[in-house]
């Protein structure tokens, strides 16, 4: 537990440092701090007994983080693919270890409608302003991200669900920048704030797993 707290503290320190660098406009500081976030969070999750799928999702997130440090379009597409692989890991994680009846069926249906409406509305609004070669990849990625966010809240509950929703918000802020919409001051600050919080909440909302040959789905409560 002490190792977990130390690593969580290191993650928090790196996240705060990154946000400060972004707030003051230090690209060099951001380049150093950003790649530290997901490895530290993955290490924290590992010592807490997290399932391998969660660790894989975080490491794919790290790959996306590093690739998106570049402004080149190939790096953006590769980064989006890395994040997409992370969302697939999250979806398999939710299916394998999540509870089917986390929310009542009627509420799950309303959530599905709400997430689907958010997806269709966001893609429809962004579509005309996105570069033509990015429209289909962004739409496909957005659908996968929305499925992940829906799975988080319906399979793992409120904490993970909030993480999924913040992940959607963070990536929507990125997409509006790609579409060259008006941005908040220091847009990267808000992107990283919501992203770091999203990944932390997804980790905290994931139950610890005791992996044993006879009981691969046994859960230990936090």
């Amino acid at each position: 537990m002490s190792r977990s707290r130390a690593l969580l503290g290191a993650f928090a320190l790196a996240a705060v440092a990154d946000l400060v660098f972004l707030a003051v406009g230090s690209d060099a500081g951001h380049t150093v701090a950003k790649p530290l976030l997901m490895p530290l969070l993955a290490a924290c999750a590992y010592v807490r007994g997290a399932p391998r799928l969660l660790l894989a999702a975080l490491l794919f997130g790290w790959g996306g983080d590093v690739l998106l440090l570049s402004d080149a379009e190939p790096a953006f597409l590769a980064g989006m693919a890395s994040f997409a692989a992370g969302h697939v890991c999250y979806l398999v994680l939710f299916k394998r270890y999540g509870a089917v009846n986390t929310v009542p069926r009627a509420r799950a249906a309303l959530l599905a409608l709400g997430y689907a409406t958010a997806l269709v509305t966001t893609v429809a609004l962004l579509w005309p302003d996105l570069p033509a070669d990015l429209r289909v990849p962004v739409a496909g990625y957005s659908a996968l991200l929305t499925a992940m966010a829906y799975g988080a809240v319906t399979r793992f509950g409120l904490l993970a669900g909030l993480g999924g929703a913040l992940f959607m918000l963070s990536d929507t802020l990125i997409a509006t920048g790609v579409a060259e919409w008006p941005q908040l001051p220091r847009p990267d600050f808000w992107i990283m704030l919501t992203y770091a919080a999203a990944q932390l909440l997804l980790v905290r909302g994931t139950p610890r797993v005791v992996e044993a040959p006879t009981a691969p789905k046994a859960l230990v409560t936090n």
Side-chain angles (χ1 to χ4, degrees), residues 7 15 38 51 63-64 68 76 79 87 90 98 108 111 118 146 157 177 190 192 215 222:
L7 288 165
M38 290 307 105
L68 291 186
F76 177 81
H87 296 325
Y90 274 126
L111 285 168
T146 303
W190 304 107
M192 287 305 300
N222 288 321

Side-chain angles (χ1 to χ4, degrees), residues 13-153:
L13 183 62
V16 170
D18 189 42
L19 293 174
V20 170
F21 288 136
L22 290 171
V24 301
S26 173
D27 291 338
H30 174 58
T31 300
V32 172
K34 183 182 181 183
L36 297 176
L37 298 178
M38 290 307 105
L40 287 170
L41 190 56
C44 177
Y46 174 77
V47 300
R48 293 180 70 246
R52 294 176 183 177
L53 283 165
L54 176 60
L55 303 179
L58 293 172
L59 293 178
F60 277 121
W62 172 77
D65 289 345
V66 173
L67 287 164
L68 291 186
L69 287 171
S70 170
D71 293 329
E73 186 173 304
F76 177 81
L77 287 170
M80 187 162 55
S82 189
F83 278 118
H87 296 325
V88 171
C89 291
Y90 274 126
L91 285 168
V92 178
L93 175 72
F94 301 151
K95 181 177 176 60
R96 184 171 298 177
Y97 299 110
V100 177
N101 298 319
T102 300
V103 297
R105 185 174 299 179
R107 187 178 299 175
L110 287 175
L111 285 168
L113 178 61
Y115 278 107
T117 300
L119 169 64
V120 172
T121 301
T122 301
V123 171
L125 290 173
L126 288 169
W127 188 271
D129 297 322
L130 290 171
D133 57 338
L134 291 181
R135 288 172 179 167
V136 172
V138 167
Y141 174 82
S142 298
L144 185 59
L145 171 61
T146 303
M148 184 280 289
Y150 175 75
V153 70

